[in-house]
Amino acid sequence: MQRQVLAARRRQSLAVLSRKRKATVITLIHRQETVSLLGIPLARYIDIDDAQSILKAIRETPSDRPIEIVLHTPGGLVLAAKQIASALADHPAEVTAVVPHYAMSGGTLIALAADEIVLDPHSVLGPVDPQVGQYAAASILAALEAPGDRDDETLILADMSRKAIVQVESFVGRMLEKSLGAQRAREVARLLATGTWTHDHPLQREELALLGLPVRVGVGDEERELLDLYPQPRGREAAVEYVPASPARRGDGVRGQPSR
């Protein structure tokens, strides 16, 4: 019953937000970053089901209606992220990506397809360098430069890594051409896709602005409140709690300080 009530509140909030933004509002929110079931770690990430649902929402959006996609995700499958990004880039009307907290890896790939990326002051995106198995593709290639012989598996992984980097780099370049121009898009794509930073490095607004990405600070209260309607699942205690400060009343100044 609680889940049904929460789902109804999300639908109502999305409807209100869509009317206010005069856009189709789509959410891609993964709030299960660290969950365990009987000691087995579980995680939510961008998968084919997500891609199928978002592509359906984009297809059903009229060509002259803007789209706003709210992103909160650690990333996921390159295939799914590229499908979503391509569909958003092909939408004729304006597309806005809103990142209230973070959109890493595949989430960043999707955000790069938008005409504008709206952040909170401390929201972050991340590099989009591909991962091959448990290792960064760039790190696998770097290991080849060390002295010594290499076994067949390492050589195969290196070949896959080269191809993966080229594929992601070229895709990111295409996504950025409309906002940065061809030359700058290639330069930024190389920085983001070739292992300049570790894969979990948070790129904040200052770094993103230096790259020339179309970022703006100003996530609305409605998007923040919407994120609260996707709580972490039950099963663990909250690590952070606080008591909101009450609005100061006239004459309630702190001792030694005048009230304002």
Side-chain angles (χ1 to χ4, degrees), residues 202-216:
L203 296 171
Q204 296 184 299
R205 56 177 176 168
E206 295 84 3
E207 292 171 291
L208 298 171
L210 286 174
L211 291 174
L213 298 180
V215 297
R216 172 174 66 84

Side-chain angles (χ1 to χ4, degrees), residues 10 13-28 57 61 65-70 96 98 222-223 226 230:
R10 286 200 292 260
S13 182
L14 276 172
V16 171
L17 183 57
S18 293
R19 288 195 297 269
K20 185 169 184 177
R21 299 288 184 259
K22 298 180 179 179
T24 296
V25 179
I26 304 170
T27 61
L28 181 58
T61 300
R65 182 173 174 82
I67 289 177
E68 175 178 308
I69 183 165
V70 182
T96 303
V98 179
E222 295 84 359
E223 283 84 358
L226 180 63
Y230 292 80

Side-chain angles (χ1 to χ4, degrees), residues 184-205:
R184 184 55 181 165
R186 286 194 295 269
E187 295 170 355
V188 175
R190 179 169 292 275
L191 287 172
L192 292 174
T194 60
T196 305
W197 303 278
T198 59
H199 194 63
D200 62 351
H201 175 68
L203 296 171
Q204 296 184 299
R205 56 177 176 168

Side-chain angles (χ1 to χ4, degrees), residues 89-246:
D90 289 341
H91 185 66
E94 184 177 8
V95 175
T96 303
V98 179
V99 184
H101 186 61
Y102 83 143
M104 304 295 285
S105 189
T108 296
L109 197 66
I110 294 169
L112 296 178
D115 299 293
E116 183 178 47
I117 304 170
V118 181
L119 307 171
D120 245 0
H122 297 96
S123 299
V124 298
L125 301 181
V128 295
D129 56 305
Q131 310 295 291
V132 177
Q134 60 180 321
Y135 302 113
S139 297
I140 294 173
L141 294 179
L144 288 183
E145 299 177 3
D149 297 331
R150 301 290 179 269
D151 58 25
D152 290 345
E153 182 178 0
T154 301
L155 296 175
I156 292 171
L157 289 175
D159 181 61
M160 293 173 59
S161 297
R162 289 191 191 94
K163 294 173 182 176
I165 290 174
V166 169
Q167 290 163 186
V168 173
E169 183 180 350
S170 62
F171 181 81
V172 172
R174 292 197 302 274
M175 292 296 101
L176 294 177
E177 277 188 12
K178 61 182 178 182
S179 59
L180 301 183
Q183 177 62 34
R184 184 55 181 165
R186 286 194 295 269
E187 295 170 355
V188 175
R190 179 169 292 275
L191 287 172
L192 292 174
T194 60
T196 305
W197 303 278
T198 59
H199 194 63
D200 62 351
H201 175 68
L203 296 171
Q204 296 184 299
R205 56 177 176 168
E206 295 84 3
E207 292 171 291
L208 298 171
L210 286 174
L211 291 174
L213 298 180
V215 297
R216 172 174 66 84
V217 174
V219 173
D221 291 337
E222 295 84 359
E223 283 84 358
R224 294 195 195 98
E225 292 169 2
L226 180 63
L227 196 63
D228 291 337
L229 298 178
Y230 292 80
Q232 285 274 9
R234 296 176 181 272
R236 67 172 188 171
E237 294 294 329
V240 178
E241 294 181 296
Y242 69 100
V243 178
S246 300

Side-chain angles (χ1 to χ4, degrees), residues 33-52:
E33 294 91 347
T34 50
V35 186
S36 64
L37 175 64
L38 302 178
I40 301 173
L42 304 176
R44 289 293 309 277
Y45 56 85
I46 303 169
D47 59 20
I48 296 300
D49 286 340
D50 292 328
Q52 182 177 353

